[in-house]
Amino acid sequence: MVAAVGRLKDDGERDLITRYAKRFDASGRTLALGPLSIVELPEAKAPDVAARKADEALRLAKAASAADHVIALDEAGSTLGSMAFSAHLAKLRDNGVSKIAFLIGGPDGHGDDVLSAARSKLSLGPMTLPHGLARVVLVEQLYRATTILSGHPYHRA
Protein backbone atom coordinates (compact mmCIF):
# COMPACT_ATOMS: atom_id res chain seq x y z
CA MET A 1 0.00 0.00 0.00
CA VAL A 2 0.98 3.58 -0.58
CA ALA A 3 -0.52 6.11 1.84
CA ALA A 4 0.12 9.74 0.99
CA VAL A 5 -0.87 13.08 2.45
CA GLY A 6 -2.41 15.37 -0.13
CA ARG A 7 -4.79 14.83 -3.00
CA LEU A 8 -3.51 14.62 -6.54
CA LYS A 9 -4.80 17.50 -8.59
CA ASP A 10 -3.14 16.57 -11.86
CA ASP A 11 -4.87 14.00 -14.07
CA GLY A 12 -1.57 13.12 -15.75
CA GLU A 13 -0.02 12.05 -12.46
CA ARG A 14 -3.15 10.12 -11.51
CA ASP A 15 -3.15 8.35 -14.91
CA LEU A 16 0.49 7.33 -14.54
CA ILE A 17 -0.07 6.01 -11.02
CA THR A 18 -3.09 4.03 -12.18
CA ARG A 19 -1.14 2.62 -15.13
CA TYR A 20 1.82 1.47 -13.04
CA ALA A 21 -0.37 0.19 -10.20
CA LYS A 22 -2.28 -2.02 -12.67
CA ARG A 23 0.98 -3.27 -14.12
CA PHE A 24 2.33 -3.93 -10.63
CA ASP A 25 -0.79 -5.90 -9.69
CA ALA A 26 -0.59 -8.01 -12.85
CA SER A 27 3.12 -8.78 -12.64
CA GLY A 28 3.29 -8.94 -8.84
CA ARG A 29 0.56 -11.57 -8.53
CA THR A 30 2.85 -14.45 -9.50
CA LEU A 31 5.57 -13.11 -7.19
CA ALA A 32 3.33 -12.89 -4.10
CA LEU A 33 3.54 -9.10 -4.24
CA GLY A 34 0.42 -6.94 -4.22
CA PRO A 35 -2.22 -5.99 -4.88
CA LEU A 36 -1.34 -2.33 -4.48
CA SER A 37 -3.75 0.01 -2.76
CA ILE A 38 -3.30 3.76 -2.74
CA VAL A 39 -4.74 5.88 0.04
CA GLU A 40 -4.88 9.67 -0.17
CA LEU A 41 -5.26 11.63 3.03
CA PRO A 42 -6.14 15.32 3.09
CA GLU A 43 -3.52 17.76 4.31
CA ALA A 44 -3.96 18.86 7.92
CA LYS A 45 -5.44 22.33 8.46
CA ALA A 46 -3.74 23.12 11.78
CA PRO A 47 -2.18 26.58 11.98
CA ASP A 48 1.35 25.45 12.93
CA VAL A 49 3.78 22.95 11.45
CA ALA A 50 4.11 20.74 14.54
CA ALA A 51 0.35 20.28 14.84
CA ARG A 52 -0.01 19.55 11.11
CA LYS A 53 2.77 16.96 11.20
CA ALA A 54 1.33 15.30 14.31
CA ASP A 55 -2.18 15.13 12.80
CA GLU A 56 -0.91 13.73 9.51
CA ALA A 57 1.34 11.22 11.31
CA LEU A 58 -1.63 9.94 13.28
CA ARG A 59 -3.70 9.45 10.13
CA LEU A 60 -0.84 7.85 8.21
CA ALA A 61 -0.25 5.43 11.09
CA LYS A 62 -3.93 4.52 11.09
CA ALA A 63 -3.88 3.93 7.32
CA ALA A 64 -0.86 1.66 7.72
CA SER A 65 -2.08 -0.17 10.81
CA ALA A 66 -2.53 -3.50 8.99
CA ALA A 67 0.98 -3.43 7.52
CA ASP A 68 3.68 -5.84 8.66
CA HIS A 69 6.41 -3.42 7.59
CA VAL A 70 6.27 0.37 7.29
CA ILE A 71 8.62 2.32 5.04
CA ALA A 72 8.59 6.10 5.35
CA LEU A 73 9.68 8.08 2.33
CA ASP A 74 12.07 10.61 3.77
CA GLU A 75 14.86 12.74 2.38
CA ALA A 76 17.23 11.30 5.00
CA GLY A 77 16.36 7.71 4.08
CA SER A 78 18.41 5.16 2.21
CA THR A 79 18.78 5.59 -1.52
CA LEU A 80 18.51 2.34 -3.39
CA GLY A 81 18.97 1.61 -7.05
CA SER A 82 16.22 -0.32 -8.79
CA MET A 83 18.02 -3.66 -8.46
CA ALA A 84 18.65 -3.15 -4.73
CA PHE A 85 15.07 -1.98 -4.20
CA SER A 86 13.69 -5.10 -5.89
CA ALA A 87 16.01 -7.29 -3.82
CA HIS A 88 14.84 -5.52 -0.65
CA LEU A 89 11.19 -6.19 -1.52
CA ALA A 90 11.97 -9.83 -2.28
CA LYS A 91 13.84 -10.21 1.01
CA LEU A 92 10.91 -8.75 2.96
CA ARG A 93 8.51 -11.10 1.15
CA ASP A 94 10.77 -14.10 1.71
CA ASN A 95 10.98 -13.23 5.42
CA GLY A 96 7.20 -13.45 5.74
CA VAL A 97 6.24 -9.80 5.29
CA SER A 98 2.98 -9.83 3.38
CA LYS A 99 1.84 -6.23 3.78
CA ILE A 100 4.17 -3.30 3.26
CA ALA A 101 3.08 0.31 3.69
CA PHE A 102 4.95 3.12 2.01
CA LEU A 103 4.17 6.44 3.69
CA ILE A 104 4.52 9.81 1.97
CA GLY A 105 4.13 12.80 4.25
CA GLY A 106 2.67 16.20 3.53
CA PRO A 107 4.49 19.38 2.51
CA ASP A 108 5.91 19.76 6.03
CA GLY A 109 7.36 16.25 6.07
CA HIS A 110 6.66 13.38 8.43
CA GLY A 111 5.77 13.73 12.08
CA ASP A 112 8.03 12.09 14.63
CA ASP A 113 5.52 9.28 15.23
CA VAL A 114 5.80 8.10 11.62
CA LEU A 115 9.58 8.30 11.56
CA SER A 116 9.94 6.39 14.81
CA ALA A 117 7.39 3.74 13.83
CA ALA A 118 8.86 3.12 10.37
CA ARG A 119 10.99 0.01 10.07
CA SER A 120 13.00 1.77 7.39
CA LYS A 121 13.25 5.04 5.55
CA LEU A 122 13.61 5.39 1.80
CA SER A 123 14.73 8.40 -0.20
CA LEU A 124 13.91 8.70 -3.89
CA GLY A 125 17.05 10.79 -4.30
CA PRO A 126 18.60 14.05 -3.20
CA MET A 127 16.33 16.25 -5.33
CA THR A 128 13.09 17.55 -3.88
CA LEU A 129 10.10 16.18 -5.78
CA PRO A 130 6.50 17.38 -5.71
CA HIS A 131 4.49 14.84 -3.72
CA GLY A 132 2.46 13.77 -6.76
CA LEU A 133 5.58 13.08 -8.76
CA ALA A 134 7.11 11.20 -5.82
CA ARG A 135 4.07 8.92 -5.87
CA VAL A 136 4.49 8.32 -9.61
CA VAL A 137 8.18 7.47 -9.14
CA LEU A 138 7.46 5.15 -6.22
CA VAL A 139 4.69 3.22 -7.98
CA GLU A 140 6.75 2.95 -11.16
CA GLN A 141 9.67 1.58 -9.11
CA LEU A 142 7.35 -0.95 -7.47
CA TYR A 143 6.31 -2.13 -10.93
CA ARG A 144 9.94 -2.12 -12.09
CA ALA A 145 10.84 -4.28 -9.07
CA THR A 146 8.35 -6.93 -10.15
CA THR A 147 9.78 -6.95 -13.67
CA ILE A 148 13.30 -7.34 -12.30
CA LEU A 149 12.25 -10.19 -10.03
CA SER A 150 10.41 -11.98 -12.83
CA GLY A 151 13.14 -11.48 -15.44
CA HIS A 152 10.91 -9.32 -17.66
CA PRO A 153 12.87 -7.13 -20.10
CA TYR A 154 11.25 -3.84 -18.94
CA HIS A 155 14.30 -3.08 -16.80
CA ARG A 156 17.42 -2.76 -18.90
CA ALA A 157 20.35 -1.57 -16.85
Side-chain angles (χ1 to χ4, degrees):
M1 100 170 299
V2 174
V5 174
R7 303 230 184 257
L8 289 180
K9 298 164 187 78
D10 184 281
D11 288 339
E13 291 169 345
R14 191 173 303 283
D15 291 346
L16 284 169
I17 290 170
T18 300
R19 176 188 311 163
Y20 288 118
K22 284 180 181 177
R23 289 180 181 182
F24 172 84
D25 288 347
S27 60
R29 190 174 307 123
T30 59
L31 299 168
L33 295 171
L36 183 63
S37 63
I38 301 183
V39 177
E40 287 186 337
L41 303 168
E43 289 180 30
K45 302 292 186 199
D48 64 274
V49 171
R52 284 192 300 271
K53 288 169 69 170
D55 175 54
E56 291 168 356
L58 182 68
R59 290 184 289 120
L60 282 168
K62 183 177 179 183
S65 63
D68 303 320
H69 191 92
V70 174
I71 299 173
L73 270 69
D74 185 71
E75 63 187 9
S78 299
T79 54
L80 300 175
S82 297
M83 298 292 287
F85 181 62
S86 65
H88 182 62
L89 292 178
K91 182 179 178 184
L92 290 172
R93 177 204 58 203
D94 295 348
N95 287 334
V97 173
S98 62
K99 294 180 183 173
I100 302 170
F102 293 89
L103 305 183
I104 301 175
D108 298 310
H110 283 298
D112 291 337
D113 290 346
V114 165
L115 294 174
S116 63
R119 298 282 301 272
S120 58
K121 296 171 190 75
L122 175 69
S123 171
L124 296 178
M127 292 182 179
T128 300
L129 298 174
H131 284 78
L133 188 53
R135 284 186 234 178
V136 171
V137 171
L138 174 62
V139 176
E140 189 279 336
Q141 286 297 302
L142 287 167
Y143 166 63
R144 183 177 296 273
T146 64
T147 66
I148 290 168
L149 294 172
S150 67
H152 186 280
Y154 176 79
H155 178 74
R156 295 181 189 118

